[in-house]
Amino acid sequence: MHFLRLGEPGVEIPAVSDGTTTWDLRPLTADIDGPFLAADGLARAEAAAAAGELPELDPTGLRIGAPIARPQAVICIGMNYAAHARESGSEPPSDIVVFYKHPNTVVGPYDDILLPPGSTTTDWEVELAAVIGTRARYLDSPEEALAHVAGFAVANDVSEREYQLQRSLGQWSKGKSFETFNPLGPWLVPTAQVGDGSGLSIRSRVNGERRQESSTSDLIFGVAEIVHRLSRFMVLEPGDLINTGTPEGVGLSGRFPYLAAGDIVELGIEGMGEHRSVVRPAS
Ligand code: MN
């Protein structure tokens, strides 16, 4: 089963689906948020759906939102595929590269991506995203890490390169935190179904043309390694979102034009669903 949130921004209905039937989670929880995840909510919801204890929900015509409530933190790993590090002009890193996005960047997988005024270097980045389920601090090993991950989703770490690189003065967050810059979804897929997140094909397209095509097995630091290492630098809280890095094939490579108004960005990860975002100017 997978988890999703349906309805208009800010008032999404939490739901679970087996791919055929969708059930309303509101008898169990007001939202798919940190407290719900930390209280083993995903497993309880799957059991309740299987037992016929939840009302069915007709998703027809409903917007698909991000599959989790607004997180307290969006933590990103940079340069985590060797070929992407090279196309960005860097050597593969010896430790995780960490930066932040504002949590209000998270939007649904079919919502518009809004170009900042004057932007000519807005870029796409398909990423495997991990959602923290239980608090993680000073973990001793990667072997302990996956037990703290509730599930996975597809993220687009949209990036404005001039602000990220030329106007950043060394930190990247200026180019990463514009409104709508983190489409997420369509589903939260429980860790029990995904395992460690490796071995999944990951891809992006712009206007139907291939951009990125890789495998999550090419991550330099896999999800367990990332969660372990992050927990040595910060306390990871339930509901926190971790973008694990993007493979090669972004506009920054110089091989493709950056995004322009009217472009259609499609991306996805094997078994985890697809995004389709239209690029529009911010009004
Ligand atoms: Mn990224």
Side-chain angles (χ1 to χ4, degrees):
M1 292 197 196
H2 54 252
F3 291 78
L4 69 170
R5 294 164 70 251
L6 296 164
E8 292 308 299
V11 291
E12 291 95 340
I13 299 165
V16 61
S17 172
D18 65 1
T20 304
T21 304
T22 302
W23 293 273
D24 189 332
L25 284 180
R26 285 176 294 183
L28 282 182
T29 187
D31 211 342
I32 301 171
D33 55 12
F36 176 67
L37 297 174
D40 204 22
L42 300 186
R44 287 190 292 113
E46 288 180 334
E53 296 168 1
L54 296 173
E56 290 189 18
L57 178 67
D58 180 2
T60 308
L62 294 178
R63 167 183 170 270
I64 299 178
I68 56 171
R70 176 168 158 175
Q72 292 191 93
V74 180
I75 306 150
C76 303
I77 308 301
M79 305 291 177
N80 201 18
Y81 288 78
H84 173 65
R86 282 194 295 274
E87 76 177 351
S88 306
S90 302
E91 290 299 311
S94 58
D95 196 357
I96 52 172
V97 173
V98 180
F99 64 93
Y100 287 91
K101 302 184 87 144
H102 196 300
N104 70 3
T105 56
V106 175
V107 295
Y110 304 100
D111 290 348
D112 293 341
I113 294 170
L114 298 179
L115 287 176
S119 170
T120 58
T121 57
T122 293
D123 209 345
W124 57 89
E125 293 193 348
V126 63
E127 307 202 5
L128 176 67
V131 177
I132 294 296
T134 53
R135 200 161 185 258
R137 58 184 288 277
Y138 299 121
L139 298 183
D140 287 325
S141 70
E143 287 69 37
E144 297 174 27
L146 286 179
H148 294 272
V149 176
F152 294 87
V154 182
N156 188 355
D157 176 20
V158 182
S159 306
E160 213 294 339
R161 300 301 188 192
E162 183 190 345
Y163 282 79
Q164 180 195 342
L165 300 170
Q166 278 78 47
R167 300 180 68 172
S168 65
L169 307 181
Q171 301 283 329
W172 293 351
S173 294
K174 273 183 193 170
K176 297 281 190 173
S177 291
F178 291 97
E179 60 181 344
T180 74
F181 266 32
N182 206 109
L184 184 73
W187 311 321
L188 176 66
V189 184
T191 302
Q193 294 169 48
V194 180
D196 67 359
S198 67
L200 305 174
S201 66
I202 177 169
R203 62 201 174 276
S204 66
R205 280 166 179 67
V206 177
N207 301 328
E209 296 176 6
R210 169 183 156 158
R211 292 292 184 262
Q212 297 170 284
E213 192 88 54
S214 188
S215 166
T216 58
S217 292
D218 294 333
L219 282 165
I220 296 170
F221 301 101
V223 173
E225 191 70 39
I226 289 168
V227 170
H228 168 236
R229 289 180 184 234
L230 280 175
S231 81
R232 311 294 297 181
F233 296 105
M234 65 185 75
V235 178
L236 297 170
E237 299 282 0
D240 284 356
L241 181 68
I242 302 171
N243 291 335
T244 61
T246 202
E248 71 168 325
V250 297
L252 181 62
S253 68
R255 293 191 286 140
F256 310 108
Y258 285 113
L259 295 174
D263 284 349
I264 295 170
V265 182
E266 294 169 297
L267 45 82
I269 296 175
E270 181 181 355
M272 302 187 62
E274 307 270 344
H275 292 203
R276 185 181 189 279
S277 307
V278 179
V279 179
R280 299 189 198 280
S283 56

